[in-house]
Amino acid sequence: MPEFVLVAGAWLGSWAWDEVVPELRAAGHGAHPVTLSGLGDRRGVPAGQQTHVRDIVEEVERRDLREVVLVGHSYSGIPVGQAAERIGDRLARVVFVDSNVPADGESFASACWQGPAALEASIAENGGFWAPLTAADYDGQGLTGEQIARIVGGSTPHPGATLTEPAVLTRPLGGLPATYVKCLLDGPEPSADVAELLTNEHWRLVEMDTGHWPMFSQPGELARILHRSATQS
C-alpha cells in the first residue's frame, strides 16, 4: 500500500495532520507526518530551503519507504516538489494541497502575494523569521473558532531563509505524477504556474469547497482525496 509523507505549510508541524493520519491508516496506508527543521518541536534548528528538502528525503530513506506519496501543503509544496525528484523510483505520486510549486532558481518569496521586498522586510523585522498569522487572518477559510485557536496556538515563527533561497530542479516538474488540490475559498482558480502544469498528462486537479487549511476544516474529505489520488491509475 502507498506510504504517505505529509508536510504542512509555513508555521506548522506534524501535529497539523493529527486528524488526517488516522483516516489514512484506517484505509491501510502508511502515514508519516513530518515537522521541518526550525518549526514546532524542532524550533531552533537552523534551516534553509534545502534543509527542508533534505528533511523530507531523509524521512523517506530513514524509514526505507516505497510507493511514496509526498504531500505538500502551502509553502511546503516547494520543498516537496524538489524532494519528489530526489527520491527516484520510491515515488508513486506527489499531492500539492493548495500549495506553491517550485520553479528552478525561484524562491517562495519570488511569487509571494505580498511581493518579495515586503516579505523580506517582514522577515528582517522579525529577527530572520516570518511571523505566524493572527486569528483574524483565518476568517473566511471555513474554519471554526476552535480550529483557528488550535492553528494559532500551535504555530511557530517560520525560518526566513527557507522562503528566500531558490529552488533547485533538475528536470521539468510537469513530468512528475501529481495531483493538485485547489481549495476554493482561497480563490476559485489555480495560480498561473499551476494552471500550466495541469496541462501535462501526468497532472490532475481536484477541488475542495473549503479554505486553505483543509487538514483542519475538512480532514476526512482530505484523507479520502489523498486515498483516491494514490489508488487510482
Side-chain angles (χ1 to χ4, degrees):
M1 293 292 283
E3 299 279 354
F4 287 88
V5 175
L6 305 135
V7 194
W11 312 297
L12 306 176
S14 60
W15 58 272
W17 303 99
D18 281 356
E19 294 181 74
V20 176
V21 165
E23 299 275 352
L24 292 174
R25 291 177 177 164
H29 303 297
H32 313 280
V34 174
T35 297
L36 298 173
S37 295
L39 295 163
D41 58 7
R42 303 185 70 187
R43 188 173 181 178
V45 176
Q49 189 185 121
Q50 294 308 307
T51 315
H52 283 177
V53 177
R54 288 193 296 272
D55 287 340
I56 299 162
V57 173
E58 288 171 1
E59 178 74 6
V60 172
E61 293 179 345
R62 180 176 64 85
R63 295 182 179 275
D64 194 23
L65 302 178
R66 307 284 170 171
E67 291 298 309
V68 174
V69 181
L70 292 181
V71 181
H73 162 252
S74 194
Y75 151 79
S76 289
I78 293 178
V80 159
Q82 294 169 79
E85 68 173 23
R86 299 186 194 180
I87 64 171
D89 62 5
R90 295 175 184 265
L91 181 73
R93 195 162 195 86
V94 190
V95 182
F96 296 97
V97 180
D98 216 40
S99 76
N100 300 81
V101 293
D104 186 53
E106 300 293 331
S107 68
F108 174 89
S110 300
C112 182
W113 68 93
Q114 298 170 294
L119 179 58
E120 289 167 8
S122 175
I123 291 168
E125 290 167 4
N126 286 280
F129 291 86
W130 194 18
L133 300 179
T134 66
D137 294 315
Y138 293 93
D139 288 346
Q141 294 293 317
L143 295 158
T144 67
E146 182 178 351
Q147 289 165 343
I148 292 172
R150 183 176 165 219
I151 299 171
V152 172
S155 294
T156 49
H158 191 96
T162 69
L163 307 170
T164 58
E165 291 180 1
V168 179
L169 293 172
T170 61
R171 58 182 184 270
L173 197 63
L176 293 174
T179 299
Y180 193 90
V181 179
K182 183 69 190 81
C183 296
L184 298 176
L185 293 184
D186 200 50
E189 301 290 339
S191 59
D193 55 346
V194 171
E196 183 176 351
L197 286 164
L198 284 165
T199 64
N200 289 280
E201 62 177 340
H202 305 290
W203 281 60
R204 299 176 186 146
L205 175 66
V206 177
E207 295 177 341
M208 291 187 72
D209 189 15
T210 190
H212 186 61
W213 289 271
M215 65 279 283
F216 298 102
S217 59
Q218 292 187 8
E221 178 60 17
L222 179 57
R224 286 187 285 275
I225 288 170
L226 295 177
H227 167 74
R228 289 196 297 271
S229 74
T231 56
Q232 292 177 347
S233 59

